[in-house]
Amino acid sequence: MGNATDHLWMHFTRMASYREGEVPTIVRGEGAYVWDAQGRRYLDGLAGLFVVNAGHGRTELAEASAKQAAELAFFPLWSYAHPTAVELAERIAALTPGDLNRVFFTTGGAEAVEAAWKLARAYYKRIGKPTKHKVVSRFIAYHGTSMGALSITGLPGIKSDFEPLVPGGIKVPNTNFYRAPEHGDDIEAFGRWAADEIARAIEREGPDTVAAVFLEPVQNSGGCFPPPPGYFERVREICDEYDVLLVSDEVICAWGRLGEYFGAVRYGYQPDIITTAKGLTSGYSPLGAMIASDRLMAPFLGETGMFAHGVTFGGHPVSCAVALANLDIFAREDLTGHVRANEAAFRATLEKLNDLPIVGEVRGDGYFYGIELVKDKATKATFDDDESERLLRGFLSTALFQAGLYCRADDRGDPVVQLAPPLIAGQEQFDEMEQILRAVLVEAWQRL
């Protein structure tokens, strides 16, 4: 094997940081663990990238892939169908809430988000509201890196190199109650305020210009912000009032991450579109989907109607076969039920870390948690850019990995450690995460 830095251009990677050291090279996975080229074992505390929900080393998923590739490796969904896509669309439609019965396959999450924005625009043009084209999303939220998805993304740091972006992206506050700018003593009032900010943004822009609101059930970037009670109920009312589509971006939150097949089900709201990817195949093959309500497809069903959008590998036969086998595992092992049965134990284990002076808050739901790090618990004072650089990039990420835990130390909002293990994880893995985090966070505090 050659040197990883010679030709491989890694994603979201400071390539210069590997001038001296070796690039960590992962060669094998089994269950909740992965091994590197030196044979060292790591707990996969992030399920790859919120992806490997059924766990590593599932030979039946590999076999489903090989069987399908031998039979029909590829055929496009452009005016043609193939059996695995037909069957998978049916399976997905049966699991989605309400009338989300139309499944448009993509290769991944950003493409699903891109397809949803394009559908929203095309839909409103077709029903005689052609000026509705803008999208509301939340600060610090990540929705993907393609030019449309990047315009919906609320992270300034990953946008500046690529501006000007697609016009029409509008940003509103997120649901970070720990740093609530209003109603910091009342979570329901805070949720109402945050939802009403969406209505105020729509009013400012003009309701006849806004097509959709894109929200994750639990916002990932910034470190796992769950919705306050009543938040989504209010957002749904606002979307109905202004005739705006509610898009539930579930690239991470679907497929058991929150203990249900979809986060919208967990929090009891009805989206008009769900975007998803990642855990749909547990990462064994790339696949994403935009799932739309029957109502949104209706204008495209006339004699010459067409949604003029597509991607070559969307609904790839092999990926669809893998997804079907993955959903078989979910059903057979009741992975969503496993998450619901164990989430309280996962939370309680991580909350033990609250006794550390560097831990400001432990937050999340299901198997999806963020631990926000602070300089001062009492004042919630956060780290400046230089401290964050030294703490997260200079020490934490590497130290956690060397201690045997793969997770994410992220400073795209306030500094946070994120955990989202495979859904097969149990108490043994929770304890291992807590012990490694404790040792490394104690050392991080001493280094400050």
Side-chain angles (χ1 to χ4, degrees), residues 99-433:
D99 69 339
L100 297 180
N101 295 319
R102 302 297 187 160
V103 183
F104 185 96
F105 288 116
T106 63
T107 317
E111 282 178 3
V113 168
E114 205 80 14
W117 193 359
K118 287 181 81 171
L119 175 61
R121 286 180 163 204
Y123 169 76
Y124 281 117
K125 278 189 169 60
R126 275 177 170 65
I127 65 164
K129 297 185 176 183
T131 59
K132 286 172 86 73
H133 69 277
K134 297 174 189 172
V135 166
V136 177
S137 60
R138 299 185 287 207
F139 290 130
I140 318 292
Y142 179 89
H143 292 283
T145 51
S146 56
M147 292 300 270
L150 191 58
S151 305
I152 298 172
T153 289
L155 291 162
I158 64 167
K159 297 164 85 156
S160 53
D161 274 353
F162 312 108
E163 289 169 335
L165 296 173
V166 180
I170 305 154
K171 302 297 171 283
V172 294
N174 57 45
T175 60
N176 181 0
F177 184 58
Y178 183 63
R179 299 198 175 279
E182 306 264 342
H183 307 292
D185 56 347
D186 180 345
I187 194 164
E188 289 194 29
F190 167 70
R192 176 77 186 211
W193 170 83
D196 284 342
E197 282 294 299
I198 294 171
R200 283 190 275 274
I202 293 170
E203 284 285 353
R204 275 196 306 274
E205 297 291 328
D208 57 340
T209 70
V210 181
V213 177
F214 277 67
L215 303 173
E216 297 163 277
V218 173
Q219 181 174 321
N220 171 42
S221 279
C224 295
F225 305 138
Y231 174 80
F232 273 111
E233 190 181 350
R234 176 66 188 132
V235 171
R236 181 68 267 180
E237 282 174 8
I238 291 164
C239 289
D240 290 341
E241 184 183 342
Y242 293 110
D243 187 21
V244 168
L245 304 182
L246 175 53
V247 182
S248 191
D249 185 354
E250 307 213 13
V251 171
I252 291 174
C253 290
W255 314 116
R257 181 58 52 201
L258 298 173
E260 299 284 355
Y261 280 103
F262 295 98
V265 174
R266 163 131 196 180
Y267 299 119
Y269 63 95
Q270 179 60 52
D272 300 296
I273 299 175
I274 287 176
T275 53
T276 189
K278 294 191 187 286
L280 173 55
T281 62
S282 288
Y284 283 69
S285 191
L287 186 64
M290 171 194 68
I291 312 157
S293 85
D294 290 325
R295 166 175 76 96
L296 300 184
M297 192 180 186
F300 300 92
L301 295 175
E303 289 307 308
T304 57
M306 174 176 68
F307 181 39
H309 176 56
V311 285
T312 302
F313 292 124
H316 192 283
V318 173
S319 296
C320 288
V322 171
L324 287 165
N326 183 52
L327 292 178
D328 287 343
I329 290 172
F330 266 76
R332 189 175 69 237
E333 298 182 14
D334 188 20
L335 290 183
T336 55
H338 178 78
V339 171
R340 289 196 302 275
N342 288 278
E343 67 175 342
F346 187 29
R347 177 188 285 271
T349 306
L350 292 179
E351 281 179 343
K352 289 181 186 173
L353 296 167
N354 277 325
D355 66 351
L356 299 179
I358 197 172
V359 172
E361 185 180 43
V362 175
R363 59 177 174 253
D365 270 330
Y367 272 27
F368 190 29
Y369 275 84
I371 299 168
E372 183 165 332
L373 308 179
V374 291
K375 264 200 300 203
D376 185 325
K377 264 177 131 79
T379 63
K380 303 184 184 177
T382 191
F383 302 92
D384 63 34
D385 288 350
D386 179 55
E387 290 165 330
S388 192
E389 177 76 25
R390 281 186 294 128
L391 177 73
L392 288 181
R393 297 182 196 277
F395 174 69
L396 264 185
S397 293
T398 313
L400 287 166
F401 189 68
Q402 286 171 347
L405 176 62
Y406 164 71
C407 61
R408 173 188 268 177
D410 191 3
D411 61 350
R412 293 179 300 181
D414 294 302
V416 68
V417 174
Q418 281 184 290
L419 297 161
L423 309 186
I424 55 167
Q427 192 59 49
E428 184 189 340
Q429 285 76 35
F430 305 157
D431 289 338
E432 195 177 337
M433 279 184 255

Side-chain angles (χ1 to χ4, degrees), residues 1-10 15 18 21-25:
M1 186 171 72
N3 191 336
T5 55
D6 290 347
H7 303 288
L8 182 63
W9 197 336
M10 291 179 285
M15 297 296 286
Y18 293 115
E22 280 286 295
V23 177
T25 304

